[in-house]
Amino acid sequence: MAGTVTGETDLAGSTTRTAATLADGRELIYFDRGAAPAGRDAVDRRPLEAAAPSSEVRLDPLTGAWVTVAAHRQVRTYHPPADQCPLCPSRDGRLSEIPASDYQVAVFENRFPSLAGHPDTHPVRPSLGDPLHATRPGAGRCEVVCFTADHDASFADLDEDRARLVLDAWTDRTAELSALGGVQQVYCFENRGAEIGVTLAHPHGQIYALPFTTPRTAHMIDRAARHRAATGRNLFEDLVAAERADGERVVLAGEHWTAFVPFAPRWPYEVHLHPHRRVPDLTRLDEAEREELPGIYLELLRRFDRLFGDGERRVPAPYISAWHQAPVVGGDELGLHLELFTVRRTADKLKYLAGTESGMEAFMNDVAPEDAARRLREVASTTGGEQR
């Protein structure tokens, strides 16, 4: 079965969105600045058969958290050679997940998804009658976001225009995935580095459309509700105002965004990036906030890469970059923000989760947050944003 090209749409900010279908029926979307270049009509000619969704989510009766069981992912692609990377463009007779010979930003449905399908048509049926063994279909969607066609680059190597294009893609996908039946939360994130467990070296992130609200988000919403009941104010608004006023843990501040090390971080170097105006998700940012974000975000990533380097020399830091967005329903008190952290604690040491952390979720940090913030200010580039 061959894939097809299904249409082209102009988005705000001179971004063009071109949708296509891969050989096994999965959706592929190209995002381009300006008009779509030639080659977006390339067809996926691989002999792929459509995969049927098969995962399920099971409720942990002790914590109330949903756990996804997706046994089919054991056969997913694992550390392929660079010349067999499935995220590079299709070139020189080698066919990949992206039929075009080049691209700017590409998003496609994961070939080995943890979540897939619609709850009404999923082969796994819900079983909620037994409170100790509750299950639901693993419905939802998992997408891969390729930031660049350059296999050897990273997000920090992008320029601001390309980073803005990625933001446009995140925003487009948040809006579309939030409207899918059964989806409760959309999560955009990037894992970078083998130390994190990344199995594909090509610069990319992922987007999960989840059929439940994640435990961390649920905890935040609960804390925000308690704060509202006690003070009559919003927790996220108060938090950003307090960190900006104190300044000791502020790493980088612009007109619309502030990045700071949290007062009680879980990780050696952890930064939270908040817009000054609280919004629930990426779709609600205004143009001024969108315009400033790429420069702020790129500077943060480059500082992480300079943490363990020598002066201006960048040493790629393994990190997780996670956008926290409000659930589709029930997250009115939550504020959109990014949580960026590395598992590296010194140039030659990683932070592994200890028994207290893996077993009890009681984190213990070897780096004082004030020291981490000071170090992240010290490694600023000469073109970085305003520092507090």
Side-chain angles (χ1 to χ4, degrees), residues 210-231:
L210 299 154
F212 51 80
T213 298
T214 63
R216 184 162 175 79
T217 301
H219 292 327
M220 290 183 189
I221 292 173
D222 178 68
R223 295 295 300 175
R226 292 172 183 270
H227 187 82
R228 173 71 71 180
T231 68

Side-chain angles (χ1 to χ4, degrees), residues 222-303:
D222 178 68
R223 295 295 300 175
R226 292 172 183 270
H227 187 82
R228 173 71 71 180
T231 68
R233 299 188 302 272
N234 178 268
L235 173 62
F236 291 86
E237 293 170 357
D238 281 2
L239 176 62
V240 173
E243 291 297 338
R244 284 175 54 79
D246 178 272
E248 187 174 13
R249 286 172 297 278
V250 170
V251 172
L252 182 63
E255 183 178 355
H256 303 285
W257 296 83
T258 291
F260 57 87
V261 175
F263 181 72
R266 296 165 297 161
W267 302 96
Y269 291 91
E270 178 177 344
V271 172
H272 293 190
L273 176 62
H274 288 251
H276 299 165
R277 182 180 66 94
R278 183 176 64 89
V279 295
D281 58 46
L282 290 165
T283 70
R284 301 292 289 275
L285 293 173
D286 64 26
E287 182 53 34
E289 292 158 343
R290 295 179 188 281
E291 185 70 22
E292 184 179 75
L293 176 59
I296 296 273
Y297 184 46
L298 288 169
E299 172 64 13
L300 284 177
L301 294 181
R302 291 163 186 167
R303 290 192 193 188

Side-chain angles (χ1 to χ4, degrees), residues 10-128:
D10 291 329
L11 303 179
S14 302
T15 295
T16 302
R17 176 189 190 276
T18 306
T21 303
L22 296 175
D24 55 2
R26 289 175 294 130
E27 187 175 24
L28 163 69
I29 306 170
Y30 299 102
F31 291 87
D32 292 288
R33 182 66 71 218
R40 293 296 175 262
D41 57 350
V43 173
D44 182 11
R45 301 190 183 282
R46 295 173 297 169
L48 302 179
E49 295 185 2
S54 60
S55 63
E56 63 180 3
V57 292
R58 299 184 178 189
L59 184 68
D60 181 343
L62 299 180
T63 66
W66 290 97
V67 176
T68 302
V69 179
H72 63 278
R73 282 175 52 79
Q74 285 281 35
V75 298
R76 67 187 183 274
T77 307
Y78 185 81
H79 291 299
D83 62 356
Q84 298 178 31
C85 174
L87 307 186
C88 286
S90 294
R91 294 173 180 161
D92 304 322
R94 190 189 66 81
L95 303 179
S96 74
E97 290 281 65
I98 302 171
S101 61
D102 196 10
Y103 64 86
Q104 295 181 25
V105 174
V107 179
F108 61 88
E109 289 184 77
N110 197 319
R111 189 176 176 185
F112 305 98
S114 299
L115 303 160
H118 191 279
D120 293 340
T121 58
H122 200 283
V124 175
R125 308 316 304 163
S127 177
L128 304 175

Side-chain angles (χ1 to χ4, degrees), residues 1 8 34 37 50 144 178 254 270 274 327 370:
M1 175 181 179
E8 183 177 301
V144 177
S178 295
E270 178 177 344
H274 288 251
E370 293 73 22

